[in-house]
Amino acid sequence: DGRVSSVSVQQLIEQISCVNKAKMIDHVGGVEEGAYEIYNCVEKIIKQDILGCEMTDLEGKDLGNKEDSTAPEEEVFGDVLWDAHDEQEQMEAFQQASNSTCELGFEKYFERLNDLVAAPAPIQPLLVSGGPGSGKSLLLSKWIQLQQKHSPNTLILYHFVGRPMSTSSESALIIKRLTLKLMQHSWLVSPLTFDPAKLLEEFPRWLEKLSARHQGSIIIIIDSIDQIQQAEKHMKWLIDPLPVNMRVIVSVNVETCPQAWRLWPTLHLDPLNSKDVKSLISAECNSANVKLTKEQEKKLERHCRSAATCNALYVTLLGKTIACVGNTGNIDEILQQCCQCQDTVSLYRLVLRSIQESLQSDKEKGLLREILCVIGVSHNGVSESELMELYPELTSAVLASLLHSLHKMCLLTYGCGLLKFQHLQAWEMVKLEYMEAGENVISAYRQKLVEYFTMQLRVLILICFSFNSQDRVTWRSADELPWLFQQQGDKQKLHKCLLNLFVSQNLYKRGHFAELLSYWQLVGKDKSSMAAEYFDSLKEYEKSSEGEESMICLADLYETLGRFLKDLGLLSQAVAPLQRSLEIRETALDPDHPRVAQSLHQLAGVYVQWKKFGNAEQLYKQALEISENAYGAEHPRVARELDALATLYQKQNKYEQAEQLRKKSFKIRQKAARQKGSLCGFALLRQRALQLEELTLGKDTPDNARTLNELGVLYYLQNNLETAELFLKRSLEMRERVLGSDHPDCAQSLNNLAALYNEKKHYDKAEELYEKALDIRRRALAPDHPSLAYTGKHLAVLYKKMGKLDKAVPLYELAVEIRQKSFGPKHPSVATALVNLAVLYCQMKKQTEALPLYERALKIYEDSFGHMHPRVGETLKNLAVLSYERGDFEKAAELYKRAMEIKEAETLLIGGKATSRHSSSGDTFSLKSALSPNAFLEHGQR
């Protein structure tokens, strides 16, 4: 009746009202309604205040679909898909790592880490090494807290890798997450590829972009990086020279550190000394009011002298074990048992057995075993509610008691609401204790999880894909079920699971692109076959779809498939599902509904990649009009359409129109940031104002030189070449004075000036500057560095333009060599470099040298994209021309026929003639081509 129910509740309300960041919900009604209201409030707080997402009432009211509450997350990063679960997991990992109040004499390590930040560039990553449980995660998390407190201008990006083969250890997701954080902090809204190889290739460029924008140091920390599978291959950006204001710290176990990284500067964590051991055990005992005798303390000190028994985890666990016995048990007896344990795994075994002994029945002991084993064999952990559904005999009281003991003794922890092992050694102990029979036992527990999550999917099918069920099933089922089939080696069931549209949709929409792709590769399907199977499944589902809700759901599935195919590079196949999604939404909802704008936006994105700019412009304008009518002219979704149109105009060299739209979008985002209380954008504006003030005063600093370079690029893009030349020259002169003429930053200025002279047709000047830039980069950078390939390529294009074809050949060969080293000999980018070299040989009338290059490129394209991809068709056309010129008319006709078959198939799919991305004339282009200007004038690359 609106009255406070008890004195204790009144006291609680009074306490809460004094807390600054507390939210009190005044609710009269049933318990379930109150819980639902609290849930909605918490969800809104997480999305708005923690993740910084815009929430709109419009979609929730119009569509009644809970998934729409996640749609605005895409606005923050353009069309990038963001997984709140992954981000929350990282925040919790950081909090758990820094949970200890004992710092174990870390002061000396803090000094070393501080020295790294202050050291002059260039500097290699710092390796923090130590044995398992030595305190690496604790050290890094404590140091991050100190840095955040004392150096607020320092941007720190961290990633804590969990158990091997968990989501947190997947390299593509780590790189994607770090890239998104870079975009967030630099206020960049740009398209981001999901292709794992391209993500890896583009990551150093994002580092460069942010370093150019950020006033202050940038620190990237990756804990337990050696737990990532093939870490050397997937983290190869670590060996590239870092931007001058960027530092990288990674932690590894001594035994599993990759050999190539052992040459880096290393901070090794020493075993704990006797003082730290005593302090840590005393802290645990004092928390339980347990007092040790002098003799007991000496016995512990003698025991904790070996490397295995004086690491932080072992000593912490030892202290907890003694404290747990407390005043009720025989401390000497437990101490004697502990002293027989010679490593952390054996001590964990003692802890587990003491928990077993505390249980009242064999049934409870059996449930303990089941809980630990089923958590261990899962992909990312198991929730409490899932455990109770898996084991109906498990009561909430027994579960709560077991979890309390397991959590207290450092066996289990929580992450995103899932129970998982707190340390790898705990899982190793469980395998030794309960799974001595090996793979058969593990397989049996995995099968139990398979049956459980398969049942969840069946429930989904039985109730006709209702939205509530979809939300409940797909997050956990999509995370666990395909992975379990992969571990079991059951390709047939994995294939069937992937064709469940909601499972694949959920993985893709949470950004788990690489994981989804790896499952299909295991099944043995190429990209084209996969696309065809998805399309067939969708058409089957469409036959059974009735009613507005089902059709809205169907449109979402079609859109997801189209975006997935676009990210795979299958542009021709992407158009049909996106077009179908648009048709369904226009019919089921309304032609002016915001979801229709979303379909128009995605379809336009494909046409941009096709270079069908007229079609894309028309679609973007329609999307803009709908968004303005639905949300108002100052909504972030309107800004997204303005940004997309601006990028399109930029690709067409319409720089004035692009600049007008960018300014309009920037004002909208400014206002949105102010409303959300986000200081990110305004901090950036303040930094720029300070930089311009320093420029006016004429200080010679690397930052001012960088800003001059950026201003030169800006004026160049506005076609004000004279002013651009002044700024670029001044940037070069300042860098030569401050950094020396051989510094990589000087190569950037030389490169940009050369590009400008190339545009003004002053080819001799451009040639001289490109050659200087290339010489500096050859001496300063690794032989396979992207910046070296970049300058070499544009100098080669200039040589071709000037008719100096012989000088261009070694540079095109260098491009092939660098791409092979970076991506492997079978990557599509290697094929593109081979085509460019082949075109050059054809222009030199060296058809014999060109032929094997074309043939090798064709094989790579066919293996990568399938036999009907447009790139295959273009290469066949080039080979046909070459065969014709060599007089082999029959072969030329055969090749040309194949090329035309691909072109016709492409035309049928996209409803018109497709634009070619390659031609027999090679890669000659002007500086202001349809490609982004940033590809030629470097903002942040050295």
Side-chain angles (χ1 to χ4, degrees):
D1 300 323
R3 293 193 298 270
V4 174
S5 58
S6 68
V7 175
S8 59
V9 172
Q10 180 63 48
Q11 290 173 347
L12 177 65
I13 290 172
E14 288 171 0
Q15 287 175 331
I16 289 172
S17 61
C18 301
V19 178
N20 185 29
K21 290 188 176 180
K23 173 74 174 176
M24 189 155 50
I25 298 168
D26 192 6
H27 171 70
V28 178
V31 174
E32 288 187 4
E33 289 174 10
Y36 181 72
E37 200 163 318
I38 290 168
Y39 177 87
N40 285 340
C41 181
V42 172
E43 182 182 41
K44 188 175 180 182
I45 289 168
I46 289 170
K47 288 184 175 176
Q48 283 187 320
D49 298 350
I50 299 178
L51 299 177
C53 303
E54 270 302 316
M55 298 292 287
T56 59
D57 294 329
L58 178 67
E59 289 211 344
K61 289 175 184 174
D62 284 358
L63 301 178
N65 180 356
K66 189 181 172 186
E67 269 206 3
D68 281 325
S69 64
T70 62
E73 292 169 19
E74 294 179 24
E75 293 163 11
V76 184
F77 307 108
D79 288 328
V80 173
L81 301 171
W82 177 264
D83 188 0
H85 294 288
D86 292 345
E87 189 59 25
Q88 180 67 15
E89 183 181 43
Q90 284 303 308
M91 287 191 275
E92 290 181 7
F94 171 68
Q95 289 163 359
Q96 287 172 5
S98 58
N99 222 9
S100 173
T101 53
C102 187
E103 296 191 0
L104 311 173
F106 280 166
E107 290 79 9
K108 58 181 178 181
Y109 302 131
F110 291 156
E111 288 176 16
R112 180 74 187 280
L113 292 167
N114 292 336
D115 290 342
L116 169 84
V117 176
I123 188 167
Q124 292 175 300
L126 178 70
L127 209 62
V128 176
S129 73
S134 57
K136 301 181 292 295
S137 302
L138 177 62
L139 168 67
L140 291 175
S141 58
K142 290 289 186 184
W143 185 71
I144 290 170
Q145 289 177 327
L146 287 174
Q147 285 292 310
Q148 290 171 336
K149 181 179 179 181
H150 299 301
S151 305
N153 288 333
T154 298
L155 171 60
I156 301 177
L157 305 179
Y158 59 80
H159 189 91
F160 288 82
V161 178
R163 202 178 75 181
M165 296 196 299
S166 66
T167 299
S168 66
S169 69
E170 290 176 14
S171 57
L173 284 176
I174 294 171
I175 294 295
K176 188 202 77 169
R177 178 179 173 271
L178 291 176
T179 305
L180 289 176
K181 300 297 282 184
L182 291 172
M183 291 169 70
Q184 183 183 27
H185 285 284
S186 60
W187 241 36
L188 289 168
V189 181
S190 303
L192 180 67
T193 179
F194 277 173
D195 185 295
K198 287 183 181 175
L199 262 177
L200 184 61
E201 179 185 355
E202 291 175 5
F203 186 62
R205 296 173 200 162
W206 283 110
L207 296 181
E208 294 285 1
K209 281 184 182 180
L210 179 59
S211 72
R213 286 168 172 257
H214 186 73
Q215 190 80 8
S217 298
I218 302 164
I219 303 170
I220 295 177
I221 296 171
I222 304 179
D223 180 48
S224 301
I225 194 171
D226 51 322
Q227 300 296 339
I228 301 169
Q229 292 185 347
Q230 296 181 299
E232 278 185 277
K233 176 184 174 184
H234 297 301
M235 296 288 146
K236 62 190 302 181
W237 58 273
L238 288 169
I239 61 175
D240 289 337
L242 296 165
V244 290
N245 59 338
M246 190 166 287
R247 301 290 181 270
V248 173
I249 302 169
V250 298
S251 74
V252 294
N253 280 334
V254 177
E255 301 87 353
T256 54
C257 176
Q259 194 64 38
W261 297 356
R262 294 176 187 264
L263 300 174
W264 291 348
T266 302
L267 172 61
H268 185 75
L269 268 61
D270 299 323
L272 300 183
N273 58 39
S274 56
K275 180 183 174 184
D276 289 333
V277 168
K278 183 178 179 181
S279 171
L280 199 51
I281 292 175
S282 296
E284 292 294 343
C285 291
N286 290 340
S287 67
N289 293 320
V290 173
K291 299 291 182 185
L292 297 178
T293 64
K294 292 288 183 184
E295 185 58 37
Q296 289 167 341
E297 286 179 355
K298 286 180 181 178
K299 192 171 185 178
L300 284 170
E301 186 181 333
R302 286 195 299 270
H303 174 61
C304 296
R305 283 182 178 173
S306 70
T309 59
C310 63
N311 71 56
L313 176 58
Y314 183 94
V315 175
T316 301
L317 196 56
L318 184 61
K320 285 181 179 293
T321 305
I322 296 167
C324 195
V325 173
N327 297 315
T328 58
N330 188 332
I331 292 179
D332 286 324
E333 185 181 335
I334 193 68
L335 202 54
Q336 184 63 35
Q337 292 173 356
C338 289
C339 288
Q340 293 172 6
C341 300
Q342 296 304 312
D343 56 31
T344 309
V345 172
S346 58
L347 186 56
Y348 261 129
R349 180 174 271 184
L350 177 65
V351 167
L352 178 64
R353 286 177 179 171
S354 68
I355 294 173
Q356 287 174 331
E357 288 169 9
S358 69
L359 299 176
Q360 297 176 355
S361 66
D362 290 340
K363 179 183 175 182
E364 288 183 3
K365 291 175 184 177
L367 287 169
L368 172 66
R369 171 191 175 123
E370 296 297 302
I371 288 169
L372 290 173
C373 290
V374 84
I375 289 171
V377 302
S378 67
H379 187 199
N380 289 313
V382 181
S383 72
E384 290 182 32
S385 59
E386 287 165 352
L387 284 172
M388 294 190 70
E389 288 178 358
L390 280 161
Y391 301 101
E393 69 274 24
L394 180 61
T395 65
S396 55
V398 170
L399 179 62
S401 176
L402 288 174
L403 295 183
H404 172 72
S405 300
L406 294 169
H407 186 268
K408 181 181 177 183
M409 298 308 294
C410 301
L411 274 100
L412 296 183
T413 186
Y414 288 88
C416 284
L418 300 178
L419 289 157
K420 50 189 75 178
F421 285 101
Q422 195 161 334
H423 298 281
L424 275 173
Q425 294 94 321
W427 169 228
E428 291 299 322
M429 176 275 298
V430 168
K431 284 193 285 187
L432 289 171
E433 185 73 7
Y434 292 136
M435 299 181 170
E436 288 181 350
E439 281 300 316
N440 289 337
V441 178
I442 292 174
S443 182
Y445 280 107
R446 282 191 180 138
Q447 186 57 35
K448 188 172 185 68
L449 284 176
V450 164
E451 289 168 4
Y452 171 77
F453 287 113
T454 302
M455 179 192 70
Q456 300 296 325
L457 288 179
R458 283 177 186 153
V459 169
L460 173 67
I461 294 166
L462 284 171
I463 55 178
C464 303
F465 301 102
S466 75
F467 289 107
N468 289 337
S469 170
Q470 179 191 339
D471 285 342
R472 177 181 172 226
V473 169
T474 51
W475 173 58
R476 290 293 294 133
S477 295
D479 266 5
E480 295 290 335
L481 201 50
W483 183 85
L484 288 164
F485 286 137
Q486 181 193 48
Q487 296 302 307
Q488 297 281 63
D490 195 332
K491 294 183 182 180
Q492 188 177 353
K493 287 183 179 176
L494 174 59
H495 186 202
K496 186 178 178 182
C497 178
L498 293 173
L499 287 176
N500 181 301
L501 302 168
F502 292 116
V503 170
S504 295
Q505 182 191 47
N506 186 272
L507 282 170
Y508 174 77
K509 292 192 82 169
R510 291 192 292 119
H512 292 218
F513 179 91
E515 185 181 347
L516 185 56
L517 205 55
S518 70
Y519 291 144
W520 276 105
Q521 287 167 349
L522 181 67
V523 169
K525 300 286 182 180
D526 63 20
K527 294 175 183 178
S528 296
S529 302
M530 176 182 66
E533 290 194 28
Y534 271 137
F535 206 72
D536 290 343
S537 293
L538 262 174
K539 284 190 284 188
E540 280 299 311
Y541 174 54
E542 187 169 357
K543 290 176 184 176
S544 61
S545 295
E546 293 179 4
E548 186 178 302
E549 283 195 347
S550 290
M551 294 308 289
I552 293 169
C553 182
L554 177 66
D556 289 345
L557 290 167
Y558 269 121
E559 182 189 290
T560 302
L561 176 59
R563 293 178 69 173
F564 182 45
L565 298 179
K566 183 180 77 170
D567 289 331
L568 285 169
L570 303 175
L571 300 182
S572 56
Q573 284 121 305
V575 171
L578 289 174
Q579 187 70 48
R580 183 66 187 128
S581 172
L582 174 61
E583 290 166 3
I584 293 170
R585 284 172 177 169
E586 285 180 330
T587 306
L589 297 169
D590 187 84
D592 293 325
H593 194 278
R595 281 301 196 88
V596 173
Q598 170 72 5
S599 288
L600 292 165
H601 179 93
Q602 296 300 337
L603 192 54
V606 177
Y607 284 126
V608 169
Q609 289 193 30
W610 275 121
K611 295 187 171 57
K612 293 173 78 74
F613 296 137
N615 294 17
E617 183 178 1
Q618 183 184 358
L619 294 170
Y620 277 141
K621 283 181 174 178
Q622 283 180 259
L624 176 62
E625 184 181 351
I626 292 170
S627 296
E628 284 179 334
N629 291 334
Y631 299 111
E634 295 185 340
H635 193 275
R637 291 214 170 195
V638 174
R640 182 176 77 156
E641 304 305 337
L642 291 170
D643 281 326
L645 265 174
T647 303
L648 178 64
Y649 287 142
Q650 194 168 293
K651 288 176 180 291
Q652 299 175 82
N653 305 334
K654 298 176 181 178
Y655 295 111
E656 286 185 17
Q657 289 170 267
E659 185 61 24
Q660 288 172 1
L661 295 175
R662 290 254 188 248
K663 286 178 180 176
K664 194 174 177 183
S665 166
F666 186 73
K667 285 180 181 177
I668 294 171
R669 293 184 186 280
Q670 258 189 322
K671 188 172 181 181
R674 189 185 298 117
Q675 288 171 346
K676 287 194 291 183
S678 168
L679 300 177
C680 179
F682 298 111
L684 178 65
L685 293 175
R686 283 200 298 274
Q687 290 164 15
R688 281 288 175 262
L690 287 170
Q691 286 176 332
L692 289 170
E693 187 180 335
E694 288 177 358
L695 285 171
T696 309
L697 296 172
K699 290 182 182 177
D700 277 6
T701 68
D703 285 337
N704 284 348
R706 184 189 299 123
T707 305
L708 286 166
N709 178 70
E710 290 180 2
L711 288 168
V713 171
L714 182 64
Y715 279 110
Y716 168 81
L717 295 177
Q718 294 174 343
N719 213 30
N720 189 343
L721 300 185
E722 302 307 318
T723 308
E725 185 177 356
L726 288 173
F727 276 103
L728 291 173
K729 277 185 172 178
R730 192 173 165 200
S731 171
L732 174 61
E733 290 163 4
M734 190 179 290
R735 280 172 165 169
E736 286 177 339
R737 285 195 300 272
V738 175
L739 303 170
S741 58
D742 290 331
H743 195 277
D745 284 6
C746 293
Q748 181 196 52
S749 293
L750 288 164
N751 190 93
N752 289 346
L753 268 172
L756 184 138
Y757 286 134
N758 185 30
E759 181 67 12
K760 294 173 77 173
K761 295 185 168 50
H762 297 171
Y763 298 135
D764 290 334
K765 283 186 177 180
E767 179 185 9
E768 180 186 352
L769 295 175
Y770 269 138
E771 286 175 344
K772 281 185 181 178
L774 185 64
D775 182 54
I776 292 171
R777 284 178 166 169
R778 270 187 166 142
R779 284 185 280 112
L781 305 177
D784 60 345
H785 196 279
S787 294
L788 184 62
Y790 172 90
T791 304
K793 177 181 177 182
H794 294 298
L795 179 56
V797 172
L798 181 62
Y799 281 148
K800 283 176 67 177
K801 195 182 291 185
M802 298 171 74
K804 299 181 179 181
L805 301 185
D806 288 329
K807 294 183 83 171
V809 170
L811 294 175
Y812 275 106
E813 289 173 341
L814 176 67
V816 174
E817 183 182 331
I818 288 175
R819 291 189 185 189
Q820 285 185 148
K821 285 181 180 175
S822 299
F823 308 113
K826 296 181 180 179
H827 194 273
S829 65
V830 175
T832 303
L834 290 166
V835 168
N836 291 338
L837 182 56
V839 168
L840 181 63
Y841 279 134
C842 286
Q843 290 176 337
M844 297 170 72
K845 308 298 181 190
K846 294 184 176 181
Q847 281 85 356
T848 306
E849 285 87 346
L851 181 62
L853 299 173
Y854 274 135
E855 289 174 340
R856 186 180 159 201
L858 177 64
K859 180 74 167 61
I860 293 171
Y861 282 143
E862 286 178 335
D863 290 346
S864 301
F865 301 131
H867 289 267
M868 295 300 288
H869 193 272
R871 290 194 184 183
V872 174
E874 293 297 338
T875 311
L876 286 167
K877 192 166 67 175
N878 286 340
L879 272 168
V881 172
L882 185 61
S883 299
Y884 185 88
E885 289 173 352
R886 298 180 71 197
D888 192 348
F889 303 124
E890 191 172 333
K891 186 176 181 182
E894 180 190 338
L895 292 167
Y896 190 74
K897 183 184 176 185
R898 280 183 62 197
M900 287 304 98
E901 286 171 356
I902 293 170
K903 179 65 71 179
E904 285 167 10
E906 186 182 336
T907 305
L908 284 172
L909 271 170
I910 67 168
K913 188 176 180 182
T915 305
S916 166
R917 285 163 307 289
H918 298 280
S919 69
S920 55
S921 62
D923 60 357
T924 53
F925 41 72
S926 69
L927 194 61
K928 291 182 180 176
S929 74
L931 293 172
S932 166
N934 296 351
F936 299 95
L937 279 173
E938 306 173 43
H939 286 269
Q941 287 185 327
R942 297 187 305 285

